[in-house]
Amino acid sequence: QVQLVESGGGSVQAGGSLRLSCAASGYTYGSYCMGWFRQAPGKEREGVAGIYTSTGSTFYADSVKGRFTISQDKAKNTLYLQMNSLKPEDTAIYYCAAARPPCALVAGQYRYWGQGTQVTVSS
């Protein structure tokens, strides 16, 4: 069975950094794109960053370009999101997800989802 497990969330001050991890299992990791999405209370889920696992090509939401970096350890089927220069508006539950390519940061394209990890950024 498919399992995506996020970790690494927590509370930081504005300007700080966090690295999220997502351990994937139960499916062929390299046949899917992987993405990070986030959802704040009262707001719609939005895409943050994605990666084509077979090639390493990445794509980002404009709001996080230059601050966040998506990466992977293919041998471990593990996805990462390095978040630097965090802002209060980054506060949300962050989810990792998997989709068949071609992929974009559209939640409806993603077949598998993790439970999420909370990121809180204080000013």
Side-chain angles (χ1 to χ4, degrees), residues 103-119:
C103 303
L105 293 175
V106 179
Q109 295 178 336
Y110 288 74
R111 182 180 300 179
Y112 306 128
W113 292 83
Q115 292 184 319
T117 185
Q118 178 70 48
V119 171

Side-chain angles (χ1 to χ4, degrees), residues 8-79:
S11 298
V12 297
Q13 293 190 62
S17 298
L18 284 172
R19 189 173 80 154
L20 307 183
S21 299
C22 174
S25 62
Y27 71 100
T28 303
Y29 178 86
S31 296
Y32 288 75
C33 304
M34 296 293 292
W36 288 99
F37 291 76
R38 66 188 182 187
Q39 188 165 26
K43 297 183 179 180
E44 293 187 345
R45 189 168 299 187
E46 65 174 346
V48 175
I51 186 168
Y52 280 81
T53 55
S54 60
T55 65
S57 296
T58 60
F59 45 100
Y60 297 89
D62 288 343
S63 60
V64 306
K65 286 181 180 177
R67 298 190 299 123
F68 291 10
T69 303
I70 188 170
S71 62
Q72 64 180 341
D73 184 336
K74 292 178 67 177
K76 296 182 177 181
N77 289 1
T78 300
L79 181 73

